[in-house]
Amino acid sequence: MNDRGNRQALRIERREDNTAVIWFDTPDSPVNTLQAGFDEEFNRVLEALAADKDLEAVVLISAKEDFIAGADIKLLNTFSSAEEARGLSKTAQKVMDRLETFPVPIVAAIHGVCLGGGLEVALACQGRIASKSDRTRLGQPEVKLGVIPGAGGTQRLPRRVGLEAALEMILSGKAISANKARALGLVDDVVPRPVLLEAALQHARKLIRKREEEKAGPPQRGMQDCIKNCIKMLSLRNLRRLLLEKNSPGRSLLFSQAKKKVLARTHGNMPAPVRAIEVIRAGIDQGLEAGFKVEADAFGELAISPQARNLMALFLAQTALKKDSGTDAQVTPRQVHKVGVLGAGLMGSGVAYVSAAEAGLPVRLKDMDNEKLRGGLRSIWNSLAEQVKRRRMAPRERDRALALIRPTTSYSGFGRADVVIEAVAENIDIKHQVLREVEAHGGPEMIFASNTSSIPIHKIAEASKHPETVIGMHYFSPVPKVPLLEVITTEKTAPWVVATCVALGKRQGKTVIAVRDGAGFYTTRILAPYINEATHLLAEGVSVKDIDKALVKFGFPIGPLKLMDEVGIDVVQKISKVLNEAFGDRMKPASVLEELIAANRFGKKSGQGFYRYQKVKGVYRGKGDQIDKSVYQLLDIKPHKKLEADEIAMRCVLPMINEAVHCYGDGILRSARDGDVGAVFGLGFPPFLGGPFRFIDARGVNNIAGQLTHYQERLGERFTPAPAFAELAKQGTGFHDEKAPPPPGEAHS
Ligand code: COA
């Protein structure tokens, strides 16, 4: 494949028993992918096998740990036209067709990930056997990259697992386990990994026998077979398929429900899932050939869409971050054998959870009294139980993770912790106190990491005897779910400390960005002006509903006012004060916050904020579906101002991305890549827009600076464009351009 000399990804092993094994082993790559030229290679192998007249059965298996991770995303990201992408899809379809119609049965032996084009290869084989392993996952994740399966997957998957299950898999992009795949009929059997190859060969022989029997005429069935078949037909899944999928009104219902669900989730921002529904439908209504054609057309158009480009860029950024140590210095992270966590509240218990359940590390969890510890352990238990319920964890693993967490009200056991992460109250005096206590119990190289969301780390480090070991590890709530960790380094933080904490974060399952210290670091700093602008809009008379709806339509998971309710209005106010002090009028909060706090409306935790919440078992819960209209009276606002949703969204987004550019210019960020990843994975910035910097690049640096200036003239200094805009405009580059001046970064070396 490609320009790899004689090194090929596919190798045939001819066996004496007239079987052959195709070993898939992409050269120079940790995973198997379908790279440029894969068609030629498949054709070469299939021709060689076709010439072997004695051949009876073939198995396709990976020589690596995983089966196939799909098409090469770097390749998908380089199409210059829809025509070119459509061409690739057609080529892939032809290869799959050749596999499917190969005269000798080819069975895919699947262990590890079998995703995207990988699953399409497996679907085109005549049989599929999967290994009984947690590592084995099968899925069509293309919509997560802004495209759809382009090698026949939209046509073969519904025919194999049924329409409803195929829609679920293709539209969600979620992968399923081997057992689920067997239940759906996606794989024919699940076997222990050591016998995978042999089981696949046996299955291929079974397929030959079946073909021969079919040739000989219809089988004579006994009474027992008939009963078995009837029971199978009457299974709930089959009945459902009969009722919904085997007739036109039932199918129409499935398609319209699927579309409704997709639009409710994506607000029309993502063309891929909508196109996927159309393509699947075309194949079912008009037949396979028409389905393949529509699939290739849609794949071609989607592959060059801005959404796909942005989502693929995010995947590549995330992959690059997996290898980034967080520092430009050549250092090796130190081994972490044990973690200490201070504070068993929501954040502390979340940090303990990811340290034990994800990283597999022993954790000492300290709080002031047993009541608080009990609360923390309960919340850890709930997270673990949820994993078990979703079958992402076995009860055995849950018990093991729980056993790793040792609660304490003293510092006993902290002496041997390599990293202590504090999640105590957001108060500098308390942070100083716990820092001194931790240092009194540990050695000079014990790392002290603060989970503060706003206090500058260098201020916390002032109380330390060895500030080179003090760092920020900023997790996001709920810690088990939000994928980002922001590591904050001061000028004094030692590079080995940075590398160790970044590596720890990755073990905890996080995507980690390392940023330079400063008020609000990166994520809090860009979130504050966004939320602040929402309160300005509210004060001007735009309704809570219109504000939140506009930002959800823009692509955020929840609106800014709902977000304030979730975070706590008092917490937002505290952070706003810190940022206002650091950055002056640009971050001056609207008076709304003070008034809400004076009325004891702290958001969800107090049952009232912008929305109203119900108390269940003593705790306020619920999504806050109802806006609490008394907020208008309290703030003396008449919600009569009507603005276009686009204008509302841009009013909030512009200050956010402007602040991101300030962070770039101030050297808080190490790269535009980190800024994009931080905003998307930490704050829910719409992934299909790629992040603040890709958003600016797409719209144009001058265009965004112009929009900011427009609002600056109307609404004041908080919209003044950050200086880096002018610098980039002068150079004529975007932030992701190779020629873009990098952010000042001496603090990271
Ligand atoms: N195309 C190109 N490269 C891929 C790839 C793909 N589909 N899948 C994985 N890789 C590469 C990564 O870029 C990385 O490359 P590098 O070592 O040169 O940086 C390497 O494989 C390892 O991937 P990584 O993500 O670091 O390993 P992991 O074990 O954490 O995860 C996967 C492995 C396969 C689960 C994950 O990479 C993944 O989800 N890949 C995308 C799968 C996909 O969406 N396929 C459909 C494509 S249409």
Side-chain angles (χ1 to χ4, degrees):
M1 297 182 174
N2 234 355
D3 187 21
R4 294 192 299 262
N6 287 329
R7 286 171 314 136
Q8 306 278 348
L10 299 180
R11 180 172 59 79
I12 300 172
E13 181 200 342
R14 179 62 161 87
R15 296 184 157 201
E16 282 178 0
D17 60 354
N18 286 340
T19 61
V21 179
I22 307 173
W23 292 95
F24 201 129
D25 191 1
T26 306
D28 306 326
S29 170
V31 294
N32 289 325
T33 54
L34 303 178
Q35 304 190 344
F38 72 94
D39 52 320
E40 290 160 23
E41 200 159 348
F42 264 101
N43 286 336
R44 174 186 64 79
V45 164
L46 293 180
E47 261 155 42
L49 292 173
D52 186 344
K53 297 300 169 212
D54 297 326
L55 192 66
E56 290 170 6
V58 181
V59 165
L60 172 66
I61 194 166
S62 166
K64 298 190 195 290
E65 196 47 32
D66 293 290
F67 186 64
I68 306 172
D72 181 359
I73 295 171
K74 285 176 225 106
L75 171 74
L76 299 186
N77 204 24
T78 55
F79 293 124
S80 53
S81 69
E83 199 47 54
E84 194 185 341
R86 185 184 301 123
L88 181 82
S89 169
K90 284 188 170 161
T91 304
Q93 288 175 353
K94 270 193 209 133
V95 173
M96 301 309 151
D97 182 54
R98 207 156 170 203
L99 265 178
E100 191 171 44
T101 54
F102 196 70
V104 169
I106 304 180
V107 172
I110 305 162
H111 171 75
V113 297
C114 172
L115 299 173
L119 182 55
E120 290 177 294
V121 168
L123 279 166
C125 291
Q126 286 99 328
R128 287 147 294 280
I129 305 292
S131 71
K132 194 184 179 107
S133 159
D134 288 345
R135 196 180 172 99
T136 300
R137 311 279 301 162
L138 302 94
Q140 300 281 188
E142 288 85 349
V143 288
K144 291 187 178 173
L145 295 167
V147 290
I148 59 169
T154 61
Q155 306 305 308
R156 287 195 182 90
L157 190 62
R159 283 165 176 83
R160 171 94 7 231
V161 301
L163 181 56
E164 197 174 14
L167 280 170
E168 166 59 25
M169 279 181 78
I170 292 174
L171 300 181
S172 73
K174 283 186 193 151
I176 58 172
S177 67
N179 280 339
K180 176 97 192 273
R182 179 172 50 186
L184 289 178
L186 179 54
V187 298
D188 303 292
D189 205 357
V190 176
V191 300
R193 189 183 179 198
V195 299
L196 178 63
L197 178 55
E198 285 314 313
L201 281 165
Q202 263 180 34
H203 187 69
R205 290 193 180 283
K206 206 165 109 189
L207 291 175
I208 305 169
R209 282 197 300 276
K210 209 170 140 199
R211 277 185 198 177
E212 281 163 2
E213 279 167 16
E214 275 167 9
K215 263 192 225 155
Q220 299 288 314
R221 292 198 192 283
M223 194 59 169
Q224 257 186 343
D225 283 340
C226 283
I227 295 172
K228 254 194 217 162
N229 272 343
C230 285
I231 293 174
K232 210 170 146 195
M233 284 298 292
L234 285 174
S235 76
L236 212 59
R237 209 171 80 81
N238 274 335
L239 277 178
R240 202 178 154 82
R241 276 181 80 169
L242 213 64
L243 284 174
L244 282 172
E245 300 184 14
K246 303 288 179 201
N247 63 81
S248 172
R251 286 195 297 272
S252 288
L253 184 71
L254 280 181
F255 284 123
S256 68
Q257 276 178 344
K259 188 163 177 186
K260 220 161 109 186
K261 238 167 100 181
V262 159
L263 291 177
R265 198 183 66 214
T266 63
H267 304 278
N269 288 316
M270 292 281 294
V274 179
R275 293 301 296 274
I277 296 172
E278 290 165 11
V279 170
I280 297 170
R281 185 163 204 168
I284 287 181
D285 291 348
Q286 299 159 42
L288 257 184
E289 281 316 306
F292 285 140
K293 186 184 173 309
V294 182
E295 179 188 87
D297 290 345
F299 179 85
E301 285 161 34
L302 291 166
I304 56 155
S305 67
Q307 289 90 341
R309 295 244 193 262
N310 286 329
L311 291 166
M312 288 183 205
L314 272 176
F315 170 80
L316 296 174
Q318 212 185 353
T319 313
L321 276 166
K322 287 185 192 171
K323 287 196 218 145
D324 191 332
S325 69
T327 164
D328 299 335
Q330 296 299 314
V331 281
T332 314
R334 296 205 184 157
Q335 279 289 324
V336 174
H337 302 285
K338 187 175 180 183
V339 170
V341 178
L342 296 176
L346 198 65
M347 295 307 287
S349 58
V351 175
Y353 168 85
V354 291
S355 305
E358 298 284 345
L361 287 164
V363 180
R364 266 293 191 188
L365 177 63
K366 177 184 179 303
D367 211 318
M368 282 182 301
D369 56 51
N370 285 328
E371 189 50 40
K372 292 204 169 72
L373 284 171
R374 260 197 296 277
L377 290 173
R378 202 177 306 122
S379 122
I380 292 169
W381 172 261
N382 289 342
S383 300
L384 289 166
E386 195 186 327
Q387 292 296 91
V388 173
K389 197 170 143 204
R390 289 171 174 247
R391 294 170 182 242
R392 292 198 188 135
M393 192 182 260
R396 192 179 66 245
E397 292 169 301
R398 171 199 62 201
D399 297 344
R400 201 180 305 140
L402 202 63
L404 284 170
I405 302 170
R406 309 280 297 272
T408 173
T409 51
S410 70
Y411 279 99
S412 78
F414 271 69
R416 283 192 306 278
D418 305 288
V419 181
V420 173
I421 303 165
E422 71 77 15
V424 299
E426 202 65 345
N427 173 310
I428 184 85
D429 296 330
I430 300 178
K431 305 267 189 209
H432 280 167
Q433 187 194 329
V434 295
L435 168 59
R436 288 194 194 100
E437 286 169 3
V438 166
E439 289 192 350
H441 286 86
E445 300 210 319
M446 178 194 270
I447 296 174
F448 182 89
S450 173
N451 176 49
T452 173
S453 52
S454 62
I455 305 174
I457 304 300
H458 72 267
K459 286 204 177 155
I460 296 175
E462 279 166 7
S464 171
K465 281 190 276 185
H466 19 81
E468 69 280 6
T469 58
V470 179
I471 193 164
M473 285 178 87
H474 180 203
Y475 296 85
F476 297 75
S477 178
V479 182
K481 293 203 172 127
V482 183
L484 189 78
L485 168 66
E486 186 179 27
V487 164
I488 303 119
T489 68
T490 74
E491 286 181 8
K492 291 188 179 154
T493 311
W496 70 263
V497 173
V498 181
T500 303
C501 290
V502 168
L504 172 61
K506 290 179 200 166
R507 277 181 78 183
Q508 291 168 331
K510 301 294 170 199
T511 294
V512 191
I513 59 166
V515 306
R516 191 177 174 188
D517 190 27
F521 329 122
Y522 172 63
T523 50
T524 309
R525 186 168 155 186
I526 68 167
L527 185 64
Y530 164 81
I531 282 182
N532 200 17
E533 200 53 34
T535 59
H536 278 294
L537 280 161
L538 182 68
E540 284 170 29
V542 183
S543 72
V544 173
K545 185 176 166 202
D546 284 358
I547 295 170
D548 276 356
K549 221 171 129 189
L551 273 307
V552 169
K553 185 164 176 270
F554 185 81
F556 282 93
I558 57 172
L561 299 175
K562 176 76 73 64
L563 181 66
M564 280 171 79
D565 269 7
E566 289 286 335
V567 174
I569 293 169
D570 52 333
V571 175
V572 174
Q573 191 210 27
K574 258 190 203 165
I575 293 172
S576 300
K577 272 193 183 153
V578 173
L579 294 176
N580 191 193
E581 264 170 41
F583 303 109
D585 278 356
R586 185 163 99 229
M587 296 273 193
K588 191 164 179 236
S591 59
V592 166
L593 294 183
E594 301 256 321
E595 291 165 49
L596 287 167
I597 287 161
N600 286 329
R601 289 173 81 128
F602 302 124
K604 188 171 185 173
K605 61 186 166 193
S606 66
Q608 251 191 327
F610 299 99
Y611 293 79
R612 191 177 303 149
Y613 303 86
Q614 306 300 328
K615 209 171 203 170
V616 183
K617 289 189 193 160
V619 185
Y620 286 105
R621 291 175 205 268
K623 290 185 183 158
D625 292 329
Q626 274 188 335
I627 292 167
D628 190 335
K629 291 197 174 137
S630 66
V631 76
Y632 299 124
Q633 221 171 354
L634 176 76
L635 301 173
D636 196 17
I637 291 168
K638 288 200 174 47
H640 51 49
K641 186 166 175 177
K642 282 286 160 208
L643 292 180
E644 291 290 327
D646 262 2
E647 167 143 31
I648 297 174
M650 285 310 283
R651 275 274 304 268
C652 296
V653 169
L654 282 168
M656 176 187 239
I657 59 179
N658 192 31
E659 203 55 44
V661 175
H662 273 295
C663 289
Y664 186 93
D666 294 352
I668 295 289
L669 288 170
R670 295 168 67 222
S671 64
R673 173 201 71 187
D674 291 3
D676 285 338
V677 168
V680 171
F681 292 100
L683 305 178
F685 191 93
F688 58 88
L689 295 175
F693 293 98
R694 290 217 175 261
F695 182 72
I696 296 170
D697 283 357
R699 304 246 169 153
V701 168
N702 280 329
N703 175 338
I704 296 290
Q707 288 192 51
L708 281 161
T709 309
H710 162 79
Y711 282 117
Q712 179 196 356
E713 284 158 7
R714 281 177 50 205
L715 299 167
E717 291 308 306
R718 64 183 189 274
F719 282 94
T720 308
F725 274 110
E727 211 179 312
L728 264 89
K730 204 165 74 192
Q731 311 258 349
T733 67
F735 286 95
H736 283 280
D737 208 310
E738 271 177 16
K739 288 180 287 170
E746 68 286 352
H748 296 292
S749 55

